[in-house]
């Protein structure tokens, strides 16, 4: 039975899309990592709680197939702020978050990083 569960999780990992804009922060890569940890021995991995494993698989399938999005359709595709799904994806992209993190640095921190980046030989001269 562990072999069939392992194969089902592998198939789900293959179907789950990887988001290039969220480099190493997307749900697909997290899922792949967790499946690799949980099934370290592959098909021979002993499963201590098969019911919980099956329940987790079914929950992930519902997320992957947009079960609740289809069951409870939204009237509008925006939030209360008026931000669309595409705007949210753009904002949450890894590159944008990194740029925003650099902008949040204070003057003191930027100066400290700039001067600490000097090589020790430069300080002696």
């Amino acid at each position: 039975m562990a072999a069939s569960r392992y194969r089902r999780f592998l198939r789900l990992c293959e179907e789950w899309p990887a988001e290039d804009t969220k480099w190493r922060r997307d749900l697909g890569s997290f899922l792949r990592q967790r499946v690799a940890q949980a099934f370290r021995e592959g098909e021979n991995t002993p499963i201590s709680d098969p019911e919980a494993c099956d329940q987790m698989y079914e929950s992930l399938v519902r997320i992957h197939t947009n079960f609740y999005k289809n069951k409870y359709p939204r009237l509008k595709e925006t939030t209360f702020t008026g931000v669309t799904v595409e705007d949210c994806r753009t904002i949450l992209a890894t590159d944008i978050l990194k740029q925003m993190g650099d902008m949040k640095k204070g003057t003191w921190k930027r100066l400290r990083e700039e001067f600490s980046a000097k090589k020790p030989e430069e300080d002696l001269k």
Side-chain angles (χ1 to χ4, degrees):
M1 273 313 264
S4 65
R5 286 184 176 91
Y6 176 65
R7 280 187 241 122
R8 287 190 324 176
F9 273 101
L10 281 183
R11 190 171 38 248
L12 181 64
C13 287
E14 289 173 3
E15 293 175 4
W16 206 289
E19 294 187 43
D20 296 332
T21 58
K22 295 180 185 176
W23 186 71
R24 296 177 71 181
R25 294 184 310 115
D26 64 317
L27 188 57
S29 64
F30 179 75
L31 176 65
R32 288 176 190 83
Q33 184 181 31
R34 288 297 303 252
V35 167
Q37 288 174 354
F39 293 96
R40 288 189 179 139
E41 298 173 23
E43 294 181 352
N44 299 326
T45 303
I47 297 175
S48 59
D49 191 0
E51 292 173 6
C53 182
D54 292 340
Q55 186 178 18
M56 179 148 329
Y57 174 77
E58 293 301 324
S59 297
L60 289 169
V61 167
R62 283 193 299 270
I63 292 171
H64 176 61
T65 59
N66 291 323
F67 177 80
Y68 292 106
K69 180 182 177 186
N70 297 332
K71 186 175 180 179
Y72 304 105
R74 298 179 62 163
L75 300 176
K76 296 181 180 178
E77 290 299 318
T78 60
T79 62
F80 73 96
T81 60
V83 178
T84 63
V85 174
E86 287 303 316
D87 292 339
C88 288
R89 283 191 180 127
T90 303
I91 291 168
L92 293 174
T94 302
D95 298 338
I96 301 297
L97 289 176
K98 186 176 178 184
Q99 289 175 2
M100 289 174 66
D102 291 343
M103 288 173 32
K104 283 184 179 179
K105 289 182 184 175
T107 307
W108 180 250
K109 189 168 186 174
R110 275 186 283 183
L111 286 172
R112 189 173 54 180
E113 286 177 358
E114 183 178 327
F115 288 114
S116 67
K118 284 185 176 180
K119 296 178 184 174
E121 301 89 35
E122 292 178 9
D123 290 338
L124 296 175
K125 292 182 183 178

mmCIF file of all heavy atoms in Angstrom, residues 43-68:
data_model
loop_
_atom_site.group_PDB
_atom_site.id
_atom_site.type_symbol
_atom_site.label_atom_id
_atom_site.label_comp_id
_atom_site.label_asym_id
_atom_site.label_seq_id
_atom_site.Cartn_x
_atom_site.Cartn_y
_atom_site.Cartn_z
ATOM 1 N N GLU A 43 9.233 3.764 -2.389
ATOM 2 C CA GLU A 43 8.069 2.883 -2.249
ATOM 3 C C GLU A 43 8.148 1.997 -1.014
ATOM 4 O O GLU A 43 7.146 1.458 -0.567
ATOM 5 C CB GLU A 43 7.926 2.020 -3.500
ATOM 6 C CG GLU A 43 7.598 2.813 -4.738
ATOM 7 C CD GLU A 43 7.440 1.944 -5.962
ATOM 8 O OE1 GLU A 43 7.735 0.733 -5.882
ATOM 9 O OE2 GLU A 43 7.030 2.479 -6.993
ATOM 10 N N ASN A 44 9.318 1.837 -0.452
ATOM 11 C CA ASN A 44 9.502 0.973 0.714
ATOM 12 C C ASN A 44 9.340 1.701 2.046
ATOM 13 O O ASN A 44 9.593 1.127 3.102
ATOM 14 C CB ASN A 44 10.885 0.322 0.667
ATOM 15 C CG ASN A 44 11.055 -0.531 -0.559
ATOM 16 O OD1 ASN A 44 10.100 -1.140 -1.030
ATOM 17 N ND2 ASN A 44 12.257 -0.566 -1.094
ATOM 18 N N THR A 45 8.952 2.958 2.007
ATOM 19 C CA THR A 45 8.810 3.743 3.231
ATOM 20 C C THR A 45 7.615 3.246 4.049
ATOM 21 O O THR A 45 6.502 3.157 3.523
ATOM 22 C CB THR A 45 8.590 5.231 2.896
ATOM 23 O OG1 THR A 45 9.677 5.679 2.098
ATOM 24 C CG2 THR A 45 8.500 6.076 4.149
ATOM 25 N N PRO A 46 7.835 2.911 5.304
ATOM 26 C CA PRO A 46 6.695 2.505 6.140
ATOM 27 C C PRO A 46 5.870 3.732 6.532
ATOM 28 O O PRO A 46 6.416 4.780 6.866
ATOM 29 C CB PRO A 46 7.354 1.877 7.360
ATOM 30 C CG PRO A 46 8.717 2.470 7.406
ATOM 31 C CD PRO A 46 9.108 2.800 5.996
ATOM 32 N N ILE A 47 4.560 3.602 6.477
ATOM 33 C CA ILE A 47 3.662 4.711 6.815
ATOM 34 C C ILE A 47 3.012 4.399 8.154
ATOM 35 O O ILE A 47 2.315 3.398 8.303
ATOM 36 C CB ILE A 47 2.608 4.913 5.716
ATOM 37 C CG1 ILE A 47 3.312 5.292 4.421
ATOM 38 C CG2 ILE A 47 1.613 5.979 6.125
ATOM 39 C CD1 ILE A 47 2.407 5.394 3.241
ATOM 40 N N SER A 48 3.257 5.266 9.136
ATOM 41 C CA SER A 48 2.753 5.015 10.486
ATOM 42 C C SER A 48 1.245 5.266 10.588
ATOM 43 O O SER A 48 0.558 4.582 11.338
ATOM 44 C CB SER A 48 3.499 5.885 11.497
ATOM 45 O OG SER A 48 3.325 7.246 11.173
ATOM 46 N N ASP A 49 0.736 6.275 9.850
ATOM 47 C CA ASP A 49 -0.700 6.592 9.909
ATOM 48 C C ASP A 49 -1.250 6.710 8.490
ATOM 49 O O ASP A 49 -1.284 7.799 7.916
ATOM 50 C CB ASP A 49 -0.899 7.890 10.687
ATOM 51 C CG ASP A 49 -2.343 8.151 11.024
ATOM 52 O OD1 ASP A 49 -3.206 7.318 10.661
ATOM 53 O OD2 ASP A 49 -2.617 9.191 11.650
ATOM 54 N N PRO A 50 -1.687 5.594 7.895
ATOM 55 C CA PRO A 50 -2.163 5.630 6.510
ATOM 56 C C PRO A 50 -3.397 6.500 6.317
ATOM 57 O O PRO A 50 -3.547 7.130 5.270
ATOM 58 C CB PRO A 50 -2.483 4.171 6.188
ATOM 59 C CG PRO A 50 -2.113 3.363 7.340
ATOM 60 C CD PRO A 50 -1.704 4.255 8.451
ATOM 61 N N GLU A 51 -4.269 6.587 7.321
ATOM 62 C CA GLU A 51 -5.473 7.409 7.179
ATOM 63 C C GLU A 51 -5.117 8.887 7.078
ATOM 64 O O GLU A 51 -5.681 9.615 6.264
ATOM 65 C CB GLU A 51 -6.408 7.165 8.353
ATOM 66 C CG GLU A 51 -7.010 5.775 8.361
ATOM 67 C CD GLU A 51 -7.803 5.504 9.624
ATOM 68 O OE1 GLU A 51 -7.978 6.431 10.448
ATOM 69 O OE2 GLU A 51 -8.227 4.343 9.786
ATOM 70 N N ALA A 52 -4.188 9.338 7.883
ATOM 71 C CA ALA A 52 -3.746 10.737 7.827
ATOM 72 C C ALA A 52 -3.053 11.017 6.500
ATOM 73 O O ALA A 52 -3.215 12.099 5.931
ATOM 74 C CB ALA A 52 -2.822 11.048 8.988
ATOM 75 N N CYS A 53 -2.295 10.054 6.003
ATOM 76 C CA CYS A 53 -1.608 10.207 4.718
ATOM 77 C C CYS A 53 -2.631 10.365 3.592
ATOM 78 O O CYS A 53 -2.491 11.243 2.741
ATOM 79 C CB CYS A 53 -0.711 8.997 4.479
ATOM 80 S SG CYS A 53 0.228 9.078 2.950
ATOM 81 N N ASP A 54 -3.666 9.514 3.598
ATOM 82 C CA ASP A 54 -4.707 9.608 2.576
ATOM 83 C C ASP A 54 -5.486 10.912 2.683
ATOM 84 O O ASP A 54 -5.825 11.529 1.669
ATOM 85 C CB ASP A 54 -5.670 8.428 2.698
ATOM 86 C CG ASP A 54 -5.018 7.110 2.326
ATOM 87 O OD1 ASP A 54 -3.983 7.132 1.629
ATOM 88 O OD2 ASP A 54 -5.547 6.046 2.742
ATOM 89 N N GLN A 55 -5.731 11.346 3.903
ATOM 90 C CA GLN A 55 -6.451 12.599 4.102
ATOM 91 C C GLN A 55 -5.633 13.783 3.587
ATOM 92 O O GLN A 55 -6.168 14.693 2.955
ATOM 93 C CB GLN A 55 -6.779 12.770 5.587
ATOM 94 C CG GLN A 55 -7.643 13.958 5.888
ATOM 95 C CD GLN A 55 -7.980 14.045 7.365
ATOM 96 O OE1 GLN A 55 -7.333 13.442 8.209
ATOM 97 N NE2 GLN A 55 -8.999 14.819 7.685
ATOM 98 N N MET A 56 -4.333 13.767 3.848
ATOM 99 C CA MET A 56 -3.473 14.834 3.353
ATOM 100 C C MET A 56 -3.450 14.850 1.829
ATOM 101 O O MET A 56 -3.518 15.918 1.205
ATOM 102 C CB MET A 56 -2.044 14.685 3.892
ATOM 103 C CG MET A 56 -1.134 15.756 3.380
ATOM 104 S SD MET A 56 0.187 16.298 4.426
ATOM 105 C CE MET A 56 -0.396 16.127 6.054
ATOM 106 N N TYR A 57 -3.370 13.676 1.233
ATOM 107 C CA TYR A 57 -3.371 13.590 -0.224
ATOM 108 C C TYR A 57 -4.670 14.164 -0.796
ATOM 109 O O TYR A 57 -4.631 14.958 -1.741
ATOM 110 C CB TYR A 57 -3.182 12.141 -0.682
ATOM 111 C CG TYR A 57 -3.319 11.989 -2.170
ATOM 112 C CD1 TYR A 57 -2.279 12.364 -3.017
ATOM 113 C CD2 TYR A 57 -4.486 11.507 -2.735
ATOM 114 C CE1 TYR A 57 -2.403 12.258 -4.384
ATOM 115 C CE2 TYR A 57 -4.612 11.392 -4.097
ATOM 116 C CZ TYR A 57 -3.576 11.763 -4.925
ATOM 117 O OH TYR A 57 -3.716 11.665 -6.282
ATOM 118 N N GLU A 58 -5.794 13.772 -0.238
ATOM 119 C CA GLU A 58 -7.083 14.269 -0.733
ATOM 120 C C GLU A 58 -7.194 15.784 -0.566
ATOM 121 O O GLU A 58 -7.731 16.467 -1.437
ATOM 122 C CB GLU A 58 -8.243 13.564 -0.011
ATOM 123 C CG GLU A 58 -8.355 12.090 -0.329
ATOM 124 C CD GLU A 58 -8.548 11.808 -1.803
ATOM 125 O OE1 GLU A 58 -9.246 12.591 -2.487
ATOM 126 O OE2 GLU A 58 -7.995 10.804 -2.279
ATOM 127 N N SER A 59 -6.689 16.323 0.521
ATOM 128 C CA SER A 59 -6.710 17.777 0.729
ATOM 129 C C SER A 59 -5.868 18.491 -0.322
ATOM 130 O O SER A 59 -6.280 19.518 -0.873
ATOM 131 C CB SER A 59 -6.193 18.119 2.123
ATOM 132 O OG SER A 59 -7.019 17.584 3.103
ATOM 133 N N LEU A 60 -4.703 17.945 -0.605
ATOM 134 C CA LEU A 60 -3.836 18.552 -1.618
ATOM 135 C C LEU A 60 -4.462 18.472 -3.003
ATOM 136 O O LEU A 60 -4.330 19.407 -3.811
ATOM 137 C CB LEU A 60 -2.462 17.882 -1.613
ATOM 138 C CG LEU A 60 -1.595 18.202 -0.405
ATOM 139 C CD1 LEU A 60 -0.377 17.287 -0.373
ATOM 140 C CD2 LEU A 60 -1.177 19.655 -0.414
ATOM 141 N N VAL A 61 -5.150 17.383 -3.291
ATOM 142 C CA VAL A 61 -5.828 17.258 -4.583
ATOM 143 C C VAL A 61 -6.931 18.306 -4.697
ATOM 144 O O VAL A 61 -7.103 18.921 -5.755
ATOM 145 C CB VAL A 61 -6.389 15.833 -4.778
ATOM 146 C CG1 VAL A 61 -7.361 15.765 -5.939
ATOM 147 C CG2 VAL A 61 -5.255 14.851 -4.989
ATOM 148 N N ARG A 62 -7.660 18.534 -3.611
ATOM 149 C CA ARG A 62 -8.707 19.561 -3.653
ATOM 150 C C ARG A 62 -8.113 20.941 -3.895
ATOM 151 O O ARG A 62 -8.686 21.750 -4.628
ATOM 152 C CB ARG A 62 -9.527 19.535 -2.362
ATOM 153 C CG ARG A 62 -10.521 18.397 -2.319
ATOM 154 C CD ARG A 62 -11.524 18.574 -1.186
ATOM 155 N NE ARG A 62 -10.895 18.590 0.129
ATOM 156 C CZ ARG A 62 -10.682 17.506 0.873
ATOM 157 N NH1 ARG A 62 -11.034 16.325 0.433
ATOM 158 N NH2 ARG A 62 -10.120 17.617 2.056
ATOM 159 N N ILE A 63 -6.964 21.225 -3.306
ATOM 160 C CA ILE A 63 -6.314 22.512 -3.556
ATOM 161 C C ILE A 63 -5.854 22.593 -5.003
ATOM 162 O O ILE A 63 -6.060 23.598 -5.692
ATOM 163 C CB ILE A 63 -5.114 22.711 -2.602
ATOM 164 C CG1 ILE A 63 -5.599 22.873 -1.173
ATOM 165 C CG2 ILE A 63 -4.281 23.921 -3.024
ATOM 166 C CD1 ILE A 63 -4.493 22.851 -0.145
ATOM 167 N N HIS A 64 -5.255 21.527 -5.491
ATOM 168 C CA HIS A 64 -4.702 21.503 -6.851
ATOM 169 C C HIS A 64 -5.784 21.648 -7.916
ATOM 170 O O HIS A 64 -5.585 22.308 -8.929
ATOM 171 C CB HIS A 64 -3.916 20.216 -7.064
ATOM 172 C CG HIS A 64 -3.386 20.054 -8.445
ATOM 173 N ND1 HIS A 64 -2.494 20.938 -9.005
ATOM 174 C CD2 HIS A 64 -3.630 19.124 -9.391
ATOM 175 C CE1 HIS A 64 -2.202 20.562 -10.230
ATOM 176 N NE2 HIS A 64 -2.886 19.459 -10.492
ATOM 177 N N THR A 65 -6.935 21.046 -7.682
ATOM 178 C CA THR A 65 -8.008 21.089 -8.681
ATOM 179 C C THR A 65 -8.941 22.274 -8.497
ATOM 180 O O THR A 65 -9.959 22.365 -9.192
ATOM 181 C CB THR A 65 -8.831 19.789 -8.636
ATOM 182 O OG1 THR A 65 -9.390 19.646 -7.327
ATOM 183 C CG2 THR A 65 -7.988 18.589 -9.004
ATOM 184 N N ASN A 66 -8.624 23.173 -7.576
ATOM 185 C CA ASN A 66 -9.461 24.347 -7.301
ATOM 186 C C ASN A 66 -10.885 23.950 -6.926
ATOM 187 O O ASN A 66 -11.857 24.579 -7.360
ATOM 188 C CB ASN A 66 -9.475 25.309 -8.498
ATOM 189 C CG ASN A 66 -8.155 25.968 -8.708
ATOM 190 O OD1 ASN A 66 -7.465 26.301 -7.753
ATOM 191 N ND2 ASN A 66 -7.783 26.160 -9.958
ATOM 192 N N PHE A 67 -11.016 22.913 -6.133
ATOM 193 C CA PHE A 67 -12.328 22.389 -5.750
ATOM 194 C C PHE A 67 -13.201 23.469 -5.126
ATOM 195 O O PHE A 67 -14.345 23.679 -5.529
ATOM 196 C CB PHE A 67 -12.143 21.207 -4.782
ATOM 197 C CG PHE A 67 -13.430 20.647 -4.269
ATOM 198 C CD1 PHE A 67 -14.178 19.777 -5.039
ATOM 199 C CD2 PHE A 67 -13.900 20.995 -3.012
ATOM 200 C CE1 PHE A 67 -15.371 19.259 -4.571
ATOM 201 C CE2 PHE A 67 -15.093 20.479 -2.531
ATOM 202 C CZ PHE A 67 -15.832 19.608 -3.314
ATOM 203 N N TYR A 68 -12.667 24.171 -4.141
ATOM 204 C CA TYR A 68 -13.471 25.166 -3.436
ATOM 205 C C TYR A 68 -13.665 26.433 -4.254
ATOM 206 O O TYR A 68 -14.684 27.111 -4.115
ATOM 207 C CB TYR A 68 -12.867 25.474 -2.071
ATOM 208 C CG TYR A 68 -12.966 24.294 -1.150
ATOM 209 C CD1 TYR A 68 -11.857 23.536 -0.833
ATOM 210 C CD2 TYR A 68 -14.190 23.905 -0.631
ATOM 211 C CE1 TYR A 68 -11.955 22.429 -0.011
ATOM 212 C CE2 TYR A 68 -14.307 22.798 0.191
ATOM 213 C CZ TYR A 68 -13.184 22.066 0.494
ATOM 214 O OH TYR A 68 -13.304 20.971 1.293
#
